[in-house]
Amino acid sequence: MRKVFTILYSIVCAVLFVSCGADQAMKKGDKFYAIGEYFDAAAQYRKAYTHTSNKDRAVKGQRAMKMAECYRRIHFTSKAISAYQNAIRYKQDDSLTHFYLGQLQMRNGNYREAEKQFQMAADSLPFEDPHRQLALTGLKSAKQAAQWKKDGSDYTIKRMDLFNSRRAEYSPMLGGDEDNQLYFTSTRNQAQGDEYSGITGSKNADIFLSQKDDKGKWGKPQTIDSELNSEMDEGACCFSPDGKSMYLTICKTDPNYPRYATIAVSSRSDASWSKPKDLVISKDTLSSFAHPAVSPDGEWLYFTSDMPGGLGGFDIWRCKIIGNEVGPSENLGAPVNTPGDEMFPTFRPNGDLYFSSDGHPGMGGLDIFIAKSNDKDLLTTTETTKTTLSASGGGTLASGEEKKLSKLSELSLKIEHPGFPLNSQGDDFGMTFEGKRNQGYFCSNRGDNRGYDHIYSFFNPEIVQTVKGWVYEQDGYELTAAQVYIVGNDGTNTKLSVRGDGSFTQEIKPNVDYVFLATCKGFLNHQEQLRVEPVTKSEEYVLQFPLANISAPVLIENIFYDFDKATLRPESATALDELVQLLNENPNITIELSAHTDYKGSDAYNEGLSQRRAESVVNYLIAHGIASDRLTPKGYGEGKPKTIKRKVAERYPFLKEGDVLTEAYITTLPEEQQEQCNQLNRRTEFIVLRTTYGLFDKAGRLIQTPKPKESSKDSDQTQPSELW
C-alpha cells in the first residue's frame, strides 16, 4: 500500500512540475512576444504546448495559436500552418485564423486550400473589417495565381550564389558611378556582434559590399570597414543621386521594450562611410520608419511606416528632403497603399515606382508591383502644393498652399503586376536597377523552408534608349555640382544632378527631338541637341558637355594658321563654329580673344603676329553673327607663357601642375620636350570679361525682357521658355 501511495505521489508531483514548467514557459514567451522577439517566444510557446495535456483542449489550442502567430511573423511557413491547424483542431480558431492560414497556404503554393480558407474568412468577418477586404483580395489571388505562373513573362531570373550564404541576404542596392558596387543586408556569421537575435534566431544584420573588377566580374562580398555597421540591425539602404549620402534602416536593441525601426543617414568621405545619424521624420516614437528610397531627382524620401493616418498595416509615405533634414510626411494613398502591407519602395531611373505588397492581388507573400504614371514628375516633383500631414508628425503648409489641390492626391497611377517568375509564392522585394535598362537584382525567400531571403538577378529584354553624358571643365575635370536640363518636343522637361564622376544617364524616347543644357555655377552653359530615331535593340547615346570657366583662360583647341601668318586655315572652322555656338548660348557675356606665340623671334614681331591672329578669329566670329562689342582681340606674343594644369600634366609626364613655360624653363629641357612646350605656348584662348552684356540700359537700369507666355491653368508643367 505504501508503495502504491509513493507512485501516486510521484505522478502527481510530476504533473504539477510539468504544469508549472508550461506556465513558466508561457510567461517567458509572453515577455519575448511583447518586445517582438518572436523566435525566442515561439520556442517558449512550443515548450508550453508540448507540456500541455491533450485533455486540456482549450489551453492546448490557445498555446498553439500563440505559437502560430510567432512562426507566421518570422516566415516559418510550414510550422505556422501546423500550429494554426492545431488551434483549429482544439476549436480555438476564429475568422483571422482562416485568413492567416489562407496567406500561409498561398506562400506554400497550395492555392486551392488558400481559396478555401479565404472564403471561410470572408464569410465570417464583419463587412467593415479591413481583413475582410484583404480576404476577398486573397480569394482573387488564389484564383489567379496558377494562371500567372502558367503564363509566365519576359523576365529571366537567376539565384546569385556568389552573394548568398546559409543565412539571409536582402535589399540589394547598386552604387558607384558605374553601378559597380552592390550593397546588401545580411545576417551571415561575418556580421558584427556575437549574440543572436531573439526576433529571427540569426545574428543582427549588417550591410555588406561586393565590387566589380575591371573585367565586370563581381567579387566576394566583404564587410565594410567603417562605422557604418554596429552590433545593432542595419540594412535596407539607398543612395542620393550623387552617391554622397546613404539612407539606411536601423533597429536598435532594447531588452525591455519593442524594437521600432528608424531611418538614419551616413555620409561618404573619400571611400569611407560615416557613422549613421538618426533622421527625424516624426516625433512619433511608437511607429516604425524603414526601407528608405530617394526619388530620381533627389528631392523626396520615400519610406515605409505604420504610423497613424495610413490605410492599413504598413504604408508607403514620402517627405521632402531639405538639406540634412526632411519636411512633413504625406501618405501616397490609393491605389498604391491598401489595408495590407506596402513596403520596400524603390525607383527605376525612368521614374517608375516599384514596391512590394500583400494587399494587392498576387501570387503569395509579398509581391513586386509597379506604379506607373503618364506624368512621372508627379511622383518625384518638388512642386507638390499641398500635403497630407501625418497624424503624429510636424510641419505645416506654407501660406496659401491650403487653397491649392494636391498633385499627389490627383495622381492617376496604373498598378502593374509583372507576373512570374519575378514574383513567386514567397516574398519578393527589394529591387535595384543596373543603369536605365530593366535589369538588376532583387531578393526572395522562394524555396527556402527556413524563410531566409536570398539575392537573385533579373533581366527583361525590353528595348530601352538612353543618353549618357559627362559634364566637365573645358580642359579640366568633372564638375560634380553641375545640373543638366532636358527638354523634348514631346513635353519632356527634366532637371538632373550629375553623379560623382560628372556623368548622368537618362532614358529617352524615339521620334523625339531633345535639347540638353548643362550648367554649373562659375561656368558658361553648354547645349547639345539630339534627334532620337526608332531602333530594334537597346542603344545608348553619348554626349560631352565641356563647360568654360568664367574666371580662367579657356583654350580653344584645333585653331590653325598658315605658317608665320594670321590667315586661318579651313580646318579651324569646326572649333570656331563651336565658339560661335557657345557665345550664342551665353548671350550676356563678353570675351577677350587672345593669341600667343612661343619665344622664337623678337618680342615686337611676336606681339604683332599674335595680335593679327586674334583679330582674324574675331573677324570670323563677327562674320558669323556675333556682335563686335562683345569681342576684344588681344595679342600677347610670348608675354603670357602657359601655366600647366593638372590634366595637361597627365598628358606630359615631364611636366607638373603649376609649371610656367617660360623661355628660361624650356631651354633646360631636352630638345624633344622643348618643342612640345613651344607647341603648348602657341595657343588661342578666351577669357570672360563681363557676364552682364545686354542686361542694362545706358542709365544702368535693368532691361525688362519679355516674360514667357503663361501656361494654361490646367498645366503645372514648366515650359521650355521658362527654363531657358
Side-chain angles (χ1 to χ4, degrees), residues 159-365:
R159 178 163 162 157
M160 301 298 293
D161 290 333
L162 174 65
F163 303 139
N164 297 319
S165 70
R166 298 180 63 185
R167 295 290 182 175
E169 287 79 31
Y170 56 95
S171 294
M173 182 56 58
L174 285 162
D177 294 329
E178 298 294 330
D179 289 332
N180 57 354
Q181 299 174 338
L182 185 72
Y183 293 78
F184 62 89
T185 309
S186 178
T187 60
R188 62 185 61 197
N189 292 334
Q190 290 76 20
Q192 294 188 24
D194 299 322
E195 296 184 1
Y196 283 74
S197 168
I199 303 174
T200 63
S202 302
K203 295 184 74 171
N204 285 335
D206 276 353
I207 298 174
F208 289 80
L209 171 64
S210 177
Q211 299 197 64
K212 274 185 181 179
D213 60 21
D214 294 338
K215 297 180 180 179
K217 183 178 180 181
W218 287 109
K220 184 178 178 181
Q222 303 292 329
T223 57
I224 297 177
D225 187 18
S226 72
E227 295 183 284
L228 182 67
N229 291 313
S230 70
E231 294 186 359
M232 297 183 290
D233 256 316
E234 290 93 7
C237 67
C238 71
F239 303 100
S240 58
D242 61 9
K244 295 178 181 178
S245 297
M246 174 194 290
Y247 296 85
L248 65 153
T249 306
I250 296 180
C251 294
K252 298 181 179 179
T253 302
D254 192 316
N256 300 311
Y257 295 94
R259 261 61 64 83
Y260 296 103
T262 60
I263 294 176
V265 184
S266 174
S267 300
R268 189 177 184 88
S269 177
D270 295 327
S272 180
W273 290 102
S274 67
K275 183 177 181 179
K277 295 182 179 179
D278 288 343
L279 184 68
V280 180
I281 294 177
S282 168
K283 296 178 181 178
D284 178 4
T285 59
L286 298 178
S287 299
S288 290
F289 302 88
H291 311 160
V294 179
S295 60
D297 61 7
E299 301 288 350
W300 291 93
L301 180 70
Y302 286 67
F303 60 93
T304 298
S305 180
D306 58 352
M307 62 179 165
L311 275 66
F314 284 92
D315 277 8
I316 296 176
W317 301 69
R318 75 173 188 174
C319 53
K320 188 176 180 182
I321 299 173
I322 308 171
N324 297 323
E325 300 178 351
V326 293
S329 302
E330 57 184 342
N331 190 286
L332 289 199
V336 172
N337 292 320
T338 70
D341 291 332
E342 280 69 46
M343 312 167 80
F344 298 97
T346 189
F347 279 95
R348 187 175 171 183
N350 69 358
D352 290 341
L353 173 65
Y354 286 67
F355 64 97
S356 292
S357 170
D358 63 6
H360 292 274
M363 298 183 66

Side-chain angles (χ1 to χ4, degrees), residues 593-669:
L593 199 294
S594 61
H596 305 262
T597 67
D598 57 31
Y599 62 82
K600 298 176 181 179
S602 68
D603 291 350
Y605 178 80
N606 285 337
E607 286 181 12
L609 177 62
S610 61
Q611 181 65 32
R612 293 193 301 275
R613 287 180 170 178
E615 290 171 354
S616 294
V617 174
V618 165
N619 290 335
Y620 183 97
L621 299 177
I622 293 173
H624 286 75
I626 305 301
S628 61
D629 57 347
R630 296 179 62 195
L631 307 169
T632 302
K634 179 64 177 177
Y636 286 98
E638 61 182 281
K640 283 193 174 183
K642 186 174 181 66
T643 299
I644 299 301
K645 292 184 177 180
R646 181 158 55 103
K647 191 170 183 180
V648 177
E650 290 178 358
R651 297 203 305 264
Y652 300 91
F654 66 93
L655 297 173
K656 63 180 184 296
E657 185 179 5
D659 283 347
V660 181
L661 303 186
T662 62
E663 180 179 358
Y665 175 83
I666 294 174
T667 54
T668 64
L669 301 174

Side-chain angles (χ1 to χ4, degrees), residues 485-494 512-516 720 723-724:
Y485 295 86
I486 305 174
V487 176
N489 61 358
D490 65 337
T492 298
N493 197 337
T494 303
V512 177
D513 295 315
Y514 289 96
V515 176
F516 300 82
L723 171 63
W724 305 127

Side-chain angles (χ1 to χ4, degrees), residues 540-590:
E540 182 174 75
Y541 301 85
V542 178
L543 299 176
Q544 303 284 343
F545 295 86
L547 303 192
N549 196 318
I550 289 177
S551 58
V554 179
L555 176 68
I556 309 172
E557 295 189 270
N558 300 320
I559 299 294
F560 304 100
Y561 306 92
D562 287 337
F563 178 72
D564 211 25
K565 295 181 180 179
T567 307
L568 286 166
R569 296 183 60 82
E571 53 265 40
S572 303
T574 299
L576 290 173
D577 290 342
E578 290 176 355
L579 182 56
V580 171
Q581 179 182 343
L582 176 69
L583 291 167
N584 285 329
E585 292 170 358
N586 298 271
N588 301 120
I589 67 167
T590 64

Side-chain angles (χ1 to χ4, degrees), residues 354-626:
Y354 286 67
F355 64 97
S356 292
S357 170
D358 63 6
H360 292 274
M363 298 183 66
L366 291 171
D367 269 23
I368 294 168
F369 293 88
I370 313 170
K372 293 186 176 182
S373 170
N374 290 332
D375 187 356
K376 292 185 174 63
D377 286 343
L378 290 183
L379 276 173
T380 60
T381 181
T382 62
E383 296 178 358
T384 301
T385 56
K386 181 176 181 290
T387 58
T388 304
L389 300 181
S390 68
S392 58
T396 57
L397 297 176
S399 175
E401 287 185 343
E402 66 279 358
K403 297 180 181 179
K404 301 178 183 178
L405 292 176
S406 170
K407 283 186 177 180
L408 189 58
S409 67
E410 295 173 346
L411 275 176
S412 177
L413 290 175
K414 180 182 179 183
I415 306 298
E416 294 184 5
H417 184 276
F420 178 84
L422 188 65
N423 285 314
S424 70
Q425 64 198 44
D427 288 327
D428 307 292
F429 61 99
M431 303 282 285
T432 185
F433 293 88
E434 192 169 358
K436 298 290 181 178
R437 297 182 182 180
N438 198 353
Q439 65 185 48
Y441 302 92
F442 73 109
C443 53
S444 176
N445 62 6
R446 63 186 71 186
D448 193 297
N449 293 329
R450 301 162 299 174
Y452 289 152
D453 304 302
H454 300 291
I455 295 175
Y456 292 76
S457 66
F458 71 89
F459 170 68
N460 188 319
E462 64 184 21
I463 298 175
V464 178
Q465 290 178 273
T466 59
V467 59
K468 184 165 188 175
W470 275 271
V471 186
Y472 54 92
E473 180 182 2
Q474 193 165 322
D475 197 32
Y477 289 84
E478 64 272 3
L479 296 173
T480 58
Q483 292 184 322
V484 178
Y485 295 86
I486 305 174
V487 176
N489 61 358
D490 65 337
T492 298
N493 197 337
T494 303
K495 180 179 74 172
L496 300 176
S497 296
V498 300
R499 294 191 285 260
D501 62 347
S503 70
F504 69 90
T505 306
Q506 180 67 19
E507 184 175 346
I508 50 180
K509 300 175 183 177
N511 298 314
V512 177
D513 295 315
Y514 289 96
V515 176
F516 300 82
L517 180 72
T519 69
C520 188
K521 186 177 181 180
F523 294 84
L524 300 182
N525 299 337
H526 182 84
Q527 177 180 307
E528 291 288 340
Q529 299 183 23
L530 180 65
R531 168 68 182 178
V532 182
E533 300 292 347
V535 294
T536 56
K537 62 180 182 179
S538 295
E539 185 173 348
E540 182 174 75
Y541 301 85
V542 178
L543 299 176
Q544 303 284 343
F545 295 86
L547 303 192
N549 196 318
I550 289 177
S551 58
V554 179
L555 176 68
I556 309 172
E557 295 189 270
N558 300 320
I559 299 294
F560 304 100
Y561 306 92
D562 287 337
F563 178 72
D564 211 25
K565 295 181 180 179
T567 307
L568 286 166
R569 296 183 60 82
E571 53 265 40
S572 303
T574 299
L576 290 173
D577 290 342
E578 290 176 355
L579 182 56
V580 171
Q581 179 182 343
L582 176 69
L583 291 167
N584 285 329
E585 292 170 358
N586 298 271
N588 301 120
I589 67 167
T590 64
I591 64 171
E592 176 189 274
L593 199 294
S594 61
H596 305 262
T597 67
D598 57 31
Y599 62 82
K600 298 176 181 179
S602 68
D603 291 350
Y605 178 80
N606 285 337
E607 286 181 12
L609 177 62
S610 61
Q611 181 65 32
R612 293 193 301 275
R613 287 180 170 178
E615 290 171 354
S616 294
V617 174
V618 165
N619 290 335
Y620 183 97
L621 299 177
I622 293 173
H624 286 75
I626 305 301

